[in-house]
Amino acid sequence: MKVVANVRKEQGSGASRRLRRAGYVPGIVYGGKGEAVPISVEHNPLYHALRAESFHSSILELEFGDARAQVLLRDVQWHPYKPQVLHVDFQRVEADEEITVKVPLHFVNEEISPAVKLSSGIVGRVITEVEVTCLPAALPTFIEVDLANLEAGKSVHLSDISFPAGVSPVLPAGENPVVVTVTVPGAAEGEEGEESEAAATTAPAAPAAKKS
């Protein structure tokens, strides 16, 4: 995906306001082996690009002035209540240096899983994105989570997901978070009812009233 930008010569809050009124978004490109460069991007194409999920987790081709760079979108500032982008940050990436990026999870085959098809379970998505580390060329736009074998009463943990070659999740040592859970409607109530019935069966009988 390509982003076309202009190099900003004027900086400061006043210059940024003038850019926004003219239909542009102030931003910056930094990192890699180059210096930080202030840029501006036309608002409407950027606004529509930001609505695409892949724009947030892909290597982008940025053209600014006479320069070109491969970059990642790193930060977006939005107006508090208007559909307006206020500022955008891009980070240069180097082909031989690993990057850390949050990548969305795409869940497939939920409807044919035993949990849904046989048990009418409700699948809960606890995590919808995961932070990964990899070289830029290996960066996936999403990670697929196959739920075809998901059963009622089971959960999917991060360790159950197959990551593409060269891509590793970023996690503190020893952590293995739950990604997907299954709830079967009525199961909890049924269990509570069984417990109540068992309690009533085993409860001691009340003492008989004394005759006067």
Side-chain angles (χ1 to χ4, degrees):
M1 303 177 74
K2 185 166 78 171
V3 180
V4 179
N6 301 312
V7 176
R8 278 191 293 146
K9 296 181 179 179
E10 296 182 356
Q11 299 184 53
S13 56
S16 294
R17 284 195 295 269
R18 288 191 292 273
L19 275 173
R20 295 181 186 113
R21 285 196 296 268
Y24 286 83
V25 179
I28 191 168
V29 54
Y30 64 91
K33 297 176 182 178
E35 296 181 352
V37 178
I39 60 173
S40 63
V41 184
E42 191 175 354
H43 180 274
N44 288 348
L46 176 63
Y47 174 82
H48 290 293
L50 287 168
R51 299 178 67 180
E53 180 186 69
S54 58
F55 192 77
H56 297 259
S57 57
S58 296
I59 303 298
L60 309 173
E61 296 289 338
L62 178 66
E63 293 184 6
F64 53 108
D66 297 329
R68 294 188 178 189
Q70 289 195 319
V71 300
L72 280 170
L73 175 68
R74 280 308 192 188
D75 188 53
V76 181
Q77 295 177 22
W78 294 87
H79 191 280
Y81 55 87
K82 294 180 182 178
Q84 181 184 7
V85 186
L86 298 180
H87 196 276
V88 63
D89 291 359
F90 296 101
Q91 180 187 1
R92 296 184 189 91
V93 298
E94 302 293 339
D96 57 349
E97 294 181 4
E98 288 195 336
I99 54 178
T100 301
V101 187
K102 286 185 177 180
V103 175
L105 299 176
H106 285 191
F107 301 88
V108 298
N109 296 324
E110 173 183 325
E111 68 282 354
I112 66 170
S113 67
V116 173
K117 197 170 182 180
L118 302 180
S119 304
S120 300
I122 299 172
V123 176
R125 302 174 184 183
V126 181
I127 296 175
T128 57
E129 62 179 11
V130 60
E131 193 169 46
V132 302
T133 181
C134 62
L135 291 174
L139 178 64
T141 55
F142 63 87
I143 302 289
E144 188 174 278
V145 182
D146 190 353
L147 303 180
N149 297 317
L150 181 63
E151 299 178 357
K154 304 292 185 179
S155 299
V156 176
H157 289 76
L158 196 62
S159 61
D160 299 321
I161 298 175
S162 297
F163 286 82
V167 180
S168 302
V170 178
L171 284 174
E175 287 196 10
N176 186 23
V178 174
V179 177
V180 170
T181 60
V182 179
T183 302
V184 179
E189 291 82 350
E191 291 173 0
E192 290 175 1
E194 292 174 2
E195 291 175 0
S196 299
E197 184 179 348
T201 303
T202 57
K210 294 182 179 180
K211 294 183 180 179
S212 54

